[in-house]
Amino acid sequence: SAHPKDRHFMTLPFDIDIAVQSNLWTDHETLIHTSIQAALSVLDAPRIGELSIALSDDTQIQTLNREYRHKDKATNVLSFPVAPPAPMLGDIVLAYETLCREAEEKKVAFNSHMSHLLIHGFLHLQGYDHETDSDAAIMEGLEIRALCALGIDNPYEIPKSK
């Protein structure tokens, strides 16, 4: 039976192909689905199409980052949109070690950080970006709303020291 908190989420209107490219990852299928559902729930007219998610590592993501963005370093998430009218939305690639390190630095749960980056990557596939302050504010607002739907705190808020 479904977890009571998952009740307000609909079934995804498209397939998600999950490729586990590193044995550092364990079972994250449910987290991926609920994160993408949360992202969809805050969009008025989302583009629908097949989504590919690669659960990767720092070595592989550094290669992609160097090849496609000319930045020779590991990063947390990369999104590769496929232009309409293709039936595919695109790919989201996550790097396990970078996610772990960032979650530790930010003092947040790994799964919460992973949800944030999945939502962030999915919004990129929907055409959102954060190149300007106003675009960043729009994208961050959507991320915050989607995370809130999952019961995850605003990642952009600086925690108050006790």
Side-chain angles (χ1 to χ4, degrees), residues 70-153:
H70 311 290
K71 295 182 180 184
D72 194 6
K73 61 182 182 136
T75 187
N76 49 22
V77 62
L78 289 173
S79 299
F80 298 98
V82 176
M88 182 91 202
L89 281 176
D91 304 289
I92 298 171
V93 184
L94 296 170
Y96 187 84
E97 301 96 324
T98 299
L99 262 70
C100 280
R101 194 173 57 251
E102 289 176 346
E104 221 167 271
E105 287 165 5
K106 295 171 190 286
K107 297 179 175 32
V108 296
F110 177 86
N111 284 1
S112 297
H113 190 49
M114 183 177 168
S115 285
H116 179 206
L117 293 175
L118 283 163
I119 290 164
H120 181 87
F122 185 76
L123 291 175
H124 274 307
L125 298 185
Q126 294 289 328
Y128 291 90
D129 71 49
H130 41 84
E131 296 304 308
T132 66
D133 287 347
S134 61
D135 286 346
I138 292 166
M139 189 168 173
E140 288 172 10
L142 291 167
E143 290 172 21
I144 292 163
R145 283 173 50 208
L147 289 165
C148 181
L150 294 171
I152 298 171
D153 291 337

Side-chain angles (χ1 to χ4, degrees), residues 41-96:
S41 75
V42 300
L43 297 172
D44 293 331
R47 244 188 89 207
I48 302 300
E50 192 180 318
L51 178 61
S52 171
I53 296 186
L55 300 177
S56 194
D57 59 30
D58 280 0
T59 306
Q60 292 176 54
I61 212 163
Q62 180 169 351
T63 303
L64 291 169
N65 206 17
R66 182 173 57 237
E67 223 171 281
Y68 293 99
R69 296 179 67 228
H70 311 290
K71 295 182 180 184
D72 194 6
K73 61 182 182 136
T75 187
N76 49 22
V77 62
L78 289 173
S79 299
F80 298 98
V82 176
M88 182 91 202
L89 281 176
D91 304 289
I92 298 171
V93 184
L94 296 170
Y96 187 84

Side-chain angles (χ1 to χ4, degrees), residues 20-40:
V20 181
Q21 299 176 337
S22 164
N23 60 8
L24 295 168
W25 293 92
T26 52
D27 178 37
H28 287 287
E29 196 169 338
T30 307
L31 181 81
I32 289 168
H33 282 265
T34 56
S35 299
I36 300 305
Q37 286 168 336
L40 280 170

